[in-house]
Amino acid sequence: MPASPSPLPVRWPRAYRALAESLGPNSPLLRMGDFHPSEGEPDPDALADPVGEAGCAPLPFLLQKYPDRVLVLAAARCFFYCRFCFRRGEPPGSRGRPGPEEWARIFAWLAKRPEVEEVVLSGGDPLTLPDRKLAEIGRGLAAIPSIRRWRIHTRAPVVLPRRVTSRLAACLAAVPLPLTVVLHLDHPAELWEPLLAAVGCLRAAGIAVEAQSVLLAGVNDDPATLAALWEGLRAAGIRPRYLHHPDRAPGNRSFRVSMERGRGIVREAGRGAPPPYVVDLPSGRGKLPVEAVAQERGRARLDLPTAWRPDRGPEERPPDTA
């Protein structure tokens, strides 16, 4: 496979690579994981911090964009590196991950803020952490009375399904706090049998499973593919949480679609019940429905230049798009 001269390495779990190659030379899965020369081309529309995380970190590794929930960058690496990743400007591992002292500070910070009810683990991929560490984090969160639920956002069950074992499911289910595992899954071909078995293992342990996707040029930017993806997710007992408009990270230009085109694709694909189509604002103010952003076209370009801010307060953010 091609090497990557960018800060983002190329890494493929063997079985997932075989799945990708089985789809032929124009495989959308190969496109998501193999380096492309366009990654190194000048990209004047790219943003160094495309979703505005720099101004939302009250503590190292902890981000807060919404009053009632926070995101913790619990891991520093992934099993597979998506070429469109919005954090692709940072070499994996460069940020590090929380150690015991950082977790103690995070737990203490949360204990003093009863308005925070939900904690989302992200990274990197949290499932690169050992089972015992994930269970330890869960128990720490459960010990805070105001925390009512937690989430793990991961791509591991998709690209490395064997990471999901009965032992992992039991460790997570033993935490006395409702858990939702949110998969990152972008194409119907990723609903392969090993993934379905991993999802079955989690659901059998009482863990809810949802999915988030990104609208990606050359991968899923057509109505039939999206419709098949959403139908397949629901058939597998996976709730489609949302479809994300691609962020303008350095090097991912070839994956971007315009909002106008994206809206058309989603309208045609979603004659049933499409998930919310959202964009994470570069201002750091969180996600908004793309339709709401498009209504501002008289005062702003649809591709959201950094200087633009919507005339909406935090209370007007959609409650189910974090």
PDB file of all heavy atoms in Angstrom, residues 70-95:
ATOM      1  N   VAL A  70     -19.659  17.108  27.730  1.00  0.00           N
ATOM      2  CA  VAL A  70     -18.270  17.388  27.400  1.00  0.00           C
ATOM      3  C   VAL A  70     -17.715  16.228  26.592  1.00  0.00           C
ATOM      4  O   VAL A  70     -18.262  15.121  26.607  1.00  0.00           O
ATOM      5  CB  VAL A  70     -17.395  17.605  28.653  1.00  0.00           C
ATOM      6  CG1 VAL A  70     -17.874  18.814  29.449  1.00  0.00           C
ATOM      7  CG2 VAL A  70     -17.342  16.353  29.514  1.00  0.00           C
ATOM      8  N   LEU A  71     -16.632  16.487  25.918  1.00  0.00           N
ATOM      9  CA  LEU A  71     -15.910  15.462  25.158  1.00  0.00           C
ATOM     10  C   LEU A  71     -14.512  15.347  25.730  1.00  0.00           C
ATOM     11  O   LEU A  71     -13.857  16.374  25.987  1.00  0.00           O
ATOM     12  CB  LEU A  71     -15.879  15.840  23.678  1.00  0.00           C
ATOM     13  CG  LEU A  71     -15.242  14.829  22.714  1.00  0.00           C
ATOM     14  CD1 LEU A  71     -15.969  14.848  21.370  1.00  0.00           C
ATOM     15  CD2 LEU A  71     -13.767  15.154  22.488  1.00  0.00           C
ATOM     16  N   VAL A  72     -14.064  14.126  25.961  1.00  0.00           N
ATOM     17  CA  VAL A  72     -12.724  13.874  26.476  1.00  0.00           C
ATOM     18  C   VAL A  72     -11.916  13.137  25.412  1.00  0.00           C
ATOM     19  O   VAL A  72     -12.360  12.105  24.891  1.00  0.00           O
ATOM     20  CB  VAL A  72     -12.760  13.043  27.774  1.00  0.00           C
ATOM     21  CG1 VAL A  72     -11.331  12.789  28.267  1.00  0.00           C
ATOM     22  CG2 VAL A  72     -13.567  13.761  28.853  1.00  0.00           C
ATOM     23  N   LEU A  73     -10.746  13.677  25.091  1.00  0.00           N
ATOM     24  CA  LEU A  73      -9.835  13.033  24.134  1.00  0.00           C
ATOM     25  C   LEU A  73      -9.070  11.951  24.896  1.00  0.00           C
ATOM     26  O   LEU A  73      -7.955  12.157  25.359  1.00  0.00           O
ATOM     27  CB  LEU A  73      -8.905  14.067  23.512  1.00  0.00           C
ATOM     28  CG  LEU A  73      -9.620  15.203  22.770  1.00  0.00           C
ATOM     29  CD1 LEU A  73      -8.618  16.248  22.283  1.00  0.00           C
ATOM     30  CD2 LEU A  73     -10.434  14.664  21.601  1.00  0.00           C
ATOM     31  N   ALA A  74      -9.708  10.790  25.021  1.00  0.00           N
ATOM     32  CA  ALA A  74      -9.221   9.748  25.915  1.00  0.00           C
ATOM     33  C   ALA A  74      -8.077   8.931  25.334  1.00  0.00           C
ATOM     34  O   ALA A  74      -7.361   8.257  26.080  1.00  0.00           O
ATOM     35  CB  ALA A  74     -10.372   8.807  26.275  1.00  0.00           C
ATOM     36  N   ALA A  75      -7.923   8.957  24.020  1.00  0.00           N
ATOM     37  CA  ALA A  75      -6.901   8.141  23.352  1.00  0.00           C
ATOM     38  C   ALA A  75      -6.176   8.993  22.324  1.00  0.00           C
ATOM     39  O   ALA A  75      -6.687  10.026  21.870  1.00  0.00           O
ATOM     40  CB  ALA A  75      -7.532   6.926  22.688  1.00  0.00           C
ATOM     41  N   ALA A  76      -4.987   8.544  21.951  1.00  0.00           N
ATOM     42  CA  ALA A  76      -4.158   9.332  21.047  1.00  0.00           C
ATOM     43  C   ALA A  76      -3.971   8.691  19.679  1.00  0.00           C
ATOM     44  O   ALA A  76      -3.470   9.344  18.764  1.00  0.00           O
ATOM     45  CB  ALA A  76      -2.782   9.571  21.679  1.00  0.00           C
ATOM     46  N   ARG A  77      -4.376   7.440  19.536  1.00  0.00           N
ATOM     47  CA  ARG A  77      -4.123   6.728  18.280  1.00  0.00           C
ATOM     48  C   ARG A  77      -5.372   6.008  17.809  1.00  0.00           C
ATOM     49  O   ARG A  77      -6.349   5.868  18.542  1.00  0.00           O
ATOM     50  CB  ARG A  77      -2.955   5.743  18.451  1.00  0.00           C
ATOM     51  CG  ARG A  77      -1.641   6.426  18.823  1.00  0.00           C
ATOM     52  CD  ARG A  77      -0.476   5.457  18.855  1.00  0.00           C
ATOM     53  NE  ARG A  77       0.753   6.117  19.257  1.00  0.00           N
ATOM     54  CZ  ARG A  77       1.555   6.772  18.423  1.00  0.00           C
ATOM     55  NH1 ARG A  77       1.258   6.815  17.137  1.00  0.00           N
ATOM     56  NH2 ARG A  77       2.651   7.358  18.860  1.00  0.00           N
ATOM     57  N   CYS A  78      -5.317   5.538  16.549  1.00  0.00           N
ATOM     58  CA  CYS A  78      -6.432   4.798  15.946  1.00  0.00           C
ATOM     59  C   CYS A  78      -5.909   3.504  15.339  1.00  0.00           C
ATOM     60  O   CYS A  78      -4.710   3.365  15.059  1.00  0.00           O
ATOM     61  CB  CYS A  78      -7.098   5.632  14.850  1.00  0.00           C
ATOM     62  SG  CYS A  78      -7.871   7.163  15.423  1.00  0.00           S
ATOM     63  N   PHE A  79      -6.830   2.572  15.105  1.00  0.00           N
ATOM     64  CA  PHE A  79      -6.478   1.349  14.388  1.00  0.00           C
ATOM     65  C   PHE A  79      -6.419   1.585  12.883  1.00  0.00           C
ATOM     66  O   PHE A  79      -5.801   0.810  12.145  1.00  0.00           O
ATOM     67  CB  PHE A  79      -7.514   0.260  14.670  1.00  0.00           C
ATOM     68  CG  PHE A  79      -7.545  -0.185  16.103  1.00  0.00           C
ATOM     69  CD1 PHE A  79      -8.638   0.104  16.907  1.00  0.00           C
ATOM     70  CD2 PHE A  79      -6.484  -0.899  16.650  1.00  0.00           C
ATOM     71  CE1 PHE A  79      -8.681  -0.316  18.227  1.00  0.00           C
ATOM     72  CE2 PHE A  79      -6.514  -1.315  17.974  1.00  0.00           C
ATOM     73  CZ  PHE A  79      -7.617  -1.019  18.764  1.00  0.00           C
ATOM     74  N   PHE A  80      -7.062   2.659  12.425  1.00  0.00           N
ATOM     75  CA  PHE A  80      -7.162   2.993  11.003  1.00  0.00           C
ATOM     76  C   PHE A  80      -7.279   4.506  10.931  1.00  0.00           C
ATOM     77  O   PHE A  80      -8.010   5.116  11.715  1.00  0.00           O
ATOM     78  CB  PHE A  80      -8.417   2.334  10.412  1.00  0.00           C
ATOM     79  CG  PHE A  80      -8.763   2.749   9.003  1.00  0.00           C
ATOM     80  CD1 PHE A  80      -8.218   2.081   7.916  1.00  0.00           C
ATOM     81  CD2 PHE A  80      -9.653   3.786   8.764  1.00  0.00           C
ATOM     82  CE1 PHE A  80      -8.557   2.442   6.621  1.00  0.00           C
ATOM     83  CE2 PHE A  80     -10.000   4.157   7.477  1.00  0.00           C
ATOM     84  CZ  PHE A  80      -9.449   3.483   6.405  1.00  0.00           C
ATOM     85  N   TYR A  81      -6.535   5.121   9.988  1.00  0.00           N
ATOM     86  CA  TYR A  81      -6.536   6.576   9.900  1.00  0.00           C
ATOM     87  C   TYR A  81      -7.295   7.035   8.663  1.00  0.00           C
ATOM     88  O   TYR A  81      -6.865   6.836   7.532  1.00  0.00           O
ATOM     89  CB  TYR A  81      -5.099   7.103   9.911  1.00  0.00           C
ATOM     90  CG  TYR A  81      -4.424   6.872  11.240  1.00  0.00           C
ATOM     91  CD1 TYR A  81      -3.488   5.856  11.409  1.00  0.00           C
ATOM     92  CD2 TYR A  81      -4.792   7.633  12.341  1.00  0.00           C
ATOM     93  CE1 TYR A  81      -2.907   5.629  12.649  1.00  0.00           C
ATOM     94  CE2 TYR A  81      -4.220   7.411  13.582  1.00  0.00           C
ATOM     95  CZ  TYR A  81      -3.276   6.403  13.741  1.00  0.00           C
ATOM     96  OH  TYR A  81      -2.716   6.174  14.973  1.00  0.00           O
ATOM     97  N   CYS A  82      -8.463   7.643   8.917  1.00  0.00           N
ATOM     98  CA  CYS A  82      -9.288   8.162   7.830  1.00  0.00           C
ATOM     99  C   CYS A  82      -8.605   9.368   7.206  1.00  0.00           C
ATOM    100  O   CYS A  82      -8.222  10.310   7.918  1.00  0.00           O
ATOM    101  CB  CYS A  82     -10.664   8.564   8.363  1.00  0.00           C
ATOM    102  SG  CYS A  82     -11.556   7.244   9.197  1.00  0.00           S
ATOM    103  N   ARG A  83      -8.489   9.379   5.886  1.00  0.00           N
ATOM    104  CA  ARG A  83      -7.764  10.461   5.215  1.00  0.00           C
ATOM    105  C   ARG A  83      -8.497  11.795   5.295  1.00  0.00           C
ATOM    106  O   ARG A  83      -7.890  12.840   5.048  1.00  0.00           O
ATOM    107  CB  ARG A  83      -7.514  10.110   3.737  1.00  0.00           C
ATOM    108  CG  ARG A  83      -6.909   8.757   3.459  1.00  0.00           C
ATOM    109  CD  ARG A  83      -5.736   8.399   4.338  1.00  0.00           C
ATOM    110  NE  ARG A  83      -4.611   9.321   4.232  1.00  0.00           N
ATOM    111  CZ  ARG A  83      -3.513   9.246   4.981  1.00  0.00           C
ATOM    112  NH1 ARG A  83      -3.407   8.321   5.917  1.00  0.00           N
ATOM    113  NH2 ARG A  83      -2.545  10.113   4.816  1.00  0.00           N
ATOM    114  N   PHE A  84      -9.758  11.776   5.676  1.00  0.00           N
ATOM    115  CA  PHE A  84     -10.545  13.003   5.758  1.00  0.00           C
ATOM    116  C   PHE A  84     -10.647  13.519   7.193  1.00  0.00           C
ATOM    117  O   PHE A  84     -11.364  14.492   7.453  1.00  0.00           O
ATOM    118  CB  PHE A  84     -11.958  12.764   5.215  1.00  0.00           C
ATOM    119  CG  PHE A  84     -12.628  11.552   5.800  1.00  0.00           C
ATOM    120  CD1 PHE A  84     -13.361  11.634   6.965  1.00  0.00           C
ATOM    121  CD2 PHE A  84     -12.507  10.316   5.177  1.00  0.00           C
ATOM    122  CE1 PHE A  84     -13.959  10.514   7.515  1.00  0.00           C
ATOM    123  CE2 PHE A  84     -13.116   9.187   5.713  1.00  0.00           C
ATOM    124  CZ  PHE A  84     -13.846   9.295   6.886  1.00  0.00           C
ATOM    125  N   CYS A  85      -9.963  12.917   8.146  1.00  0.00           N
ATOM    126  CA  CYS A  85     -10.103  13.240   9.559  1.00  0.00           C
ATOM    127  C   CYS A  85      -9.900  14.729   9.823  1.00  0.00           C
ATOM    128  O   CYS A  85      -8.942  15.338   9.326  1.00  0.00           O
ATOM    129  CB  CYS A  85      -9.088  12.436  10.365  1.00  0.00           C
ATOM    130  SG  CYS A  85      -9.141  12.777  12.139  1.00  0.00           S
ATOM    131  N   PHE A  86     -10.763  15.318  10.647  1.00  0.00           N
ATOM    132  CA  PHE A  86     -10.626  16.752  10.921  1.00  0.00           C
ATOM    133  C   PHE A  86      -9.481  17.041  11.886  1.00  0.00           C
ATOM    134  O   PHE A  86      -9.088  18.199  12.046  1.00  0.00           O
ATOM    135  CB  PHE A  86     -11.947  17.335  11.442  1.00  0.00           C
ATOM    136  CG  PHE A  86     -12.347  16.881  12.814  1.00  0.00           C
ATOM    137  CD1 PHE A  86     -11.909  17.558  13.941  1.00  0.00           C
ATOM    138  CD2 PHE A  86     -13.189  15.799  12.983  1.00  0.00           C
ATOM    139  CE1 PHE A  86     -12.293  17.157  15.216  1.00  0.00           C
ATOM    140  CE2 PHE A  86     -13.590  15.386  14.243  1.00  0.00           C
ATOM    141  CZ  PHE A  86     -13.136  16.060  15.361  1.00  0.00           C
ATOM    142  N   ARG A  87      -8.935  16.010  12.531  1.00  0.00           N
ATOM    143  CA  ARG A  87      -7.754  16.198  13.378  1.00  0.00           C
ATOM    144  C   ARG A  87      -6.484  15.700  12.678  1.00  0.00           C
ATOM    145  O   ARG A  87      -5.465  15.456  13.323  1.00  0.00           O
ATOM    146  CB  ARG A  87      -7.922  15.456  14.703  1.00  0.00           C
ATOM    147  CG  ARG A  87      -9.022  16.028  15.587  1.00  0.00           C
ATOM    148  CD  ARG A  87      -8.910  15.510  17.025  1.00  0.00           C
ATOM    149  NE  ARG A  87     -10.027  16.021  17.820  1.00  0.00           N
ATOM    150  CZ  ARG A  87     -11.064  15.297  18.231  1.00  0.00           C
ATOM    151  NH1 ARG A  87     -11.118  14.011  17.926  1.00  0.00           N
ATOM    152  NH2 ARG A  87     -12.024  15.838  18.943  1.00  0.00           N
ATOM    153  N   ARG A  88      -6.521  15.589  11.369  1.00  0.00           N
ATOM    154  CA  ARG A  88      -5.414  14.990  10.643  1.00  0.00           C
ATOM    155  C   ARG A  88      -4.160  15.862  10.651  1.00  0.00           C
ATOM    156  O   ARG A  88      -3.075  15.401  10.294  1.00  0.00           O
ATOM    157  CB  ARG A  88      -5.812  14.665   9.206  1.00  0.00           C
ATOM    158  CG  ARG A  88      -6.335  15.818   8.381  1.00  0.00           C
ATOM    159  CD  ARG A  88      -6.365  15.485   6.902  1.00  0.00           C
ATOM    160  NE  ARG A  88      -4.995  15.380   6.413  1.00  0.00           N
ATOM    161  CZ  ARG A  88      -4.565  14.479   5.545  1.00  0.00           C
ATOM    162  NH1 ARG A  88      -5.403  13.605   5.052  1.00  0.00           N
ATOM    163  NH2 ARG A  88      -3.319  14.453   5.163  1.00  0.00           N
ATOM    164  N   GLY A  89      -4.267  17.109  11.045  1.00  0.00           N
ATOM    165  CA  GLY A  89      -3.091  17.966  11.103  1.00  0.00           C
ATOM    166  C   GLY A  89      -2.147  17.639  12.236  1.00  0.00           C
ATOM    167  O   GLY A  89      -1.005  18.111  12.256  1.00  0.00           O
ATOM    168  N   GLU A  90      -2.592  16.842  13.199  1.00  0.00           N
ATOM    169  CA  GLU A  90      -1.755  16.452  14.321  1.00  0.00           C
ATOM    170  C   GLU A  90      -1.238  15.030  14.114  1.00  0.00           C
ATOM    171  O   GLU A  90      -2.037  14.105  13.951  1.00  0.00           O
ATOM    172  CB  GLU A  90      -2.560  16.486  15.621  1.00  0.00           C
ATOM    173  CG  GLU A  90      -3.074  17.853  16.006  1.00  0.00           C
ATOM    174  CD  GLU A  90      -3.833  17.807  17.309  1.00  0.00           C
ATOM    175  OE1 GLU A  90      -4.080  16.696  17.818  1.00  0.00           O
ATOM    176  OE2 GLU A  90      -4.175  18.882  17.816  1.00  0.00           O
ATOM    177  N   PRO A  91       0.058  14.814  14.131  1.00  0.00           N
ATOM    178  CA  PRO A  91       0.558  13.439  14.042  1.00  0.00           C
ATOM    179  C   PRO A  91      -0.006  12.602  15.178  1.00  0.00           C
ATOM    180  O   PRO A  91      -0.069  13.071  16.322  1.00  0.00           O
ATOM    181  CB  PRO A  91       2.075  13.603  14.169  1.00  0.00           C
ATOM    182  CG  PRO A  91       2.347  15.018  13.782  1.00  0.00           C
ATOM    183  CD  PRO A  91       1.147  15.801  14.218  1.00  0.00           C
ATOM    184  N   PRO A  92      -0.474  11.391  14.909  1.00  0.00           N
ATOM    185  CA  PRO A  92      -1.033  10.551  15.968  1.00  0.00           C
ATOM    186  C   PRO A  92      -0.075  10.394  17.143  1.00  0.00           C
ATOM    187  O   PRO A  92       1.116  10.135  16.965  1.00  0.00           O
ATOM    188  CB  PRO A  92      -1.272   9.220  15.261  1.00  0.00           C
ATOM    189  CG  PRO A  92      -1.475   9.589  13.828  1.00  0.00           C
ATOM    190  CD  PRO A  92      -0.549  10.746  13.591  1.00  0.00           C
ATOM    191  N   GLY A  93      -0.586  10.589  18.331  1.00  0.00           N
ATOM    192  CA  GLY A  93       0.219  10.474  19.533  1.00  0.00           C
ATOM    193  C   GLY A  93       0.865  11.756  19.976  1.00  0.00           C
ATOM    194  O   GLY A  93       1.365  11.841  21.102  1.00  0.00           O
ATOM    195  N   SER A  94       0.853  12.787  19.118  1.00  0.00           N
ATOM    196  CA  SER A  94       1.552  14.027  19.471  1.00  0.00           C
ATOM    197  C   SER A  94       0.887  14.744  20.635  1.00  0.00           C
ATOM    198  O   SER A  94       1.556  15.409  21.435  1.00  0.00           O
ATOM    199  CB  SER A  94       1.626  14.958  18.258  1.00  0.00           C
ATOM    200  OG  SER A  94       0.322  15.321  17.813  1.00  0.00           O
ATOM    201  N   ARG A  95      -0.420  14.632  20.736  1.00  0.00           N
ATOM    202  CA  ARG A  95      -1.144  15.269  21.833  1.00  0.00           C
ATOM    203  C   ARG A  95      -1.028  14.459  23.125  1.00  0.00           C
ATOM    204  O   ARG A  95      -1.200  14.984  24.221  1.00  0.00           O
ATOM    205  CB  ARG A  95      -2.620  15.417  21.442  1.00  0.00           C
ATOM    206  CG  ARG A  95      -3.446  16.246  22.406  1.00  0.00           C
ATOM    207  CD  ARG A  95      -4.941  16.027  22.165  1.00  0.00           C
ATOM    208  NE  ARG A  95      -5.355  16.470  20.859  1.00  0.00           N
ATOM    209  CZ  ARG A  95      -6.146  17.509  20.651  1.00  0.00           C
ATOM    210  NH1 ARG A  95      -6.581  18.222  21.674  1.00  0.00           N
ATOM    211  NH2 ARG A  95      -6.516  17.823  19.426  1.00  0.00           N
TER     212      ARG A  95
END
